[in-house]
Amino acid sequence: VKLVESGGGLLQPGGSLRLSCECSGSVFNIIAMGWYRQAPGKQREYVAKAFTLGGGTEYADAVKGRFTISRDNAKNTVYLQMNSLNSEDTAGYYCFAAVYHSNSATSRRDYWGQGTQVTVSS
């Protein structure tokens, strides 16, 4: 299983950016996909996730109202639309996928992408 992120970049405060992450490889079921981020010198921080069943979404308080997560289940892809970005959003953004490889509970695994950098600076 491989996750590949794209869409990071350098932008000014107040700008917008959309990140994408595609999950490829053999899986039985993807439970959820989402994003974490890690700024220099800080611990990795949860950002958002989107569940396959029911399409529900969750967000960290720091990004509620500014970020929107969405899924294209047919493409095993998750997106993160980020608006009103500020310097505190500067971080490496890492995609994850929670999957099952069979109908056994023991087949549950989490996978991570390599990260894409988002830098917000004037």
Side-chain angles (χ1 to χ4, degrees):
V1 176
K2 185 176 181 181
L3 276 69
V4 178
E5 301 105 331
S6 61
L10 171 64
L11 68 164
Q12 294 185 340
S16 297
L17 205 60
R18 189 174 88 148
L19 306 181
S20 301
C21 172
E22 180 178 6
C23 178
S24 61
S26 178
V27 298
F28 178 73
N29 183 29
I30 298 177
I31 306 163
M33 295 183 72
W35 298 88
Y36 277 70
R37 66 186 181 183
Q38 188 167 20
K42 295 187 178 181
Q43 291 188 333
R44 189 168 289 195
E45 173 189 33
Y46 167 74
V47 176
K49 64 181 172 184
F51 296 93
T52 303
L53 186 63
T57 57
E58 294 180 353
Y59 297 90
D61 288 343
V63 306
K64 276 181 184 176
R66 300 187 300 121
F67 290 12
T68 302
I69 190 169
S70 60
R71 294 269 305 274
D72 183 335
N73 293 331
K75 297 181 179 179
N76 287 342
T77 298
V78 64
Y79 305 96
L80 187 68
Q81 177 65 44
M82 304 185 293
N83 298 328
S84 301
L85 285 160
N86 58 62
S87 59
E88 294 184 351
D89 296 313
T90 295
Y93 282 73
Y94 298 85
C95 169
F96 74 90
V99 311
Y100 282 103
H101 285 289
S102 74
N103 58 7
S104 169
T106 60
S107 74
R108 169 83 165 76
R109 297 289 186 274
D110 290 341
Y111 293 93
W112 293 87
Q114 81 289 348
T116 186
Q117 180 66 32
V118 173
T119 302
V120 184
S121 175
S122 55

